[in-house]
Amino acid sequence: QSQFMESGGGLVQPGGSLRLSCAASGFTFEGLAIGWFRQAPGKEREGVSCISDHGSTTNFIDSVKGRFTISRDNAKNTSYLQMNNLRPDDTAQYYCAADWRPDSSCSLRLNPYIFWGQGTQVIVSS
């Protein structure tokens, strides 16, 4: 059975850090762009960051630039979102997703992504 599994969420104080992981099982990361998305209560889901199939291209929304980094290990079928200097407005359910895109690009738009994980909760609060 193919699935994505996010992990690493939790409660952290403002200014703290978390590293989210997204592990795929039942399929390979080869040829897939990976996106990280989040959805806060009462808000629409938004793209946070993405990474191309071999990691040569990354994109971030403006609000996380300089604070978040994205990476992937194709040998482990895993992507990571390192989140530093977290703020209360980073509080959300975070999801990873896969987009078949073997062209060294990636998108922060939701609709190219066809395979989604169940999400992991991040709460930034003192």
Side-chain angles (χ1 to χ4, degrees), residues 8-111:
L11 173 64
V12 63
Q13 292 187 342
S17 297
L18 285 173
R19 188 175 82 153
L20 306 184
S21 298
C22 171
S25 61
F27 63 96
T28 178
F29 260 23
E30 193 69 29
L32 298 176
I34 302 297
W36 283 92
F37 299 82
R38 67 186 180 187
Q39 187 165 18
K43 294 187 176 181
E44 293 186 353
R45 192 171 297 189
E46 64 176 352
V48 175
S49 182
C50 65
I51 186 166
S52 60
D53 55 345
H54 290 291
S56 60
T57 299
T58 60
N59 290 312
F60 300 88
I61 56 170
D62 287 345
S63 63
V64 307
K65 286 179 180 177
R67 300 189 298 123
F68 290 12
T69 58
I70 189 171
S71 60
R72 64 190 290 160
D73 184 339
N74 285 356
K76 296 181 178 179
N77 284 342
T78 302
S79 174
Y80 306 96
L81 186 68
Q82 177 68 42
M83 307 186 297
N84 298 326
N85 194 20
L86 282 160
R87 309 185 309 212
D89 61 357
D90 294 316
T91 295
Q93 186 82 355
Y94 282 72
Y95 302 87
C96 65
D99 171 23
W100 172 250
R101 189 184 290 257
D103 64 358
S104 299
S105 70
C106 69
S107 172
L108 291 179
R109 296 168 57 191
L110 272 68
N111 56 20

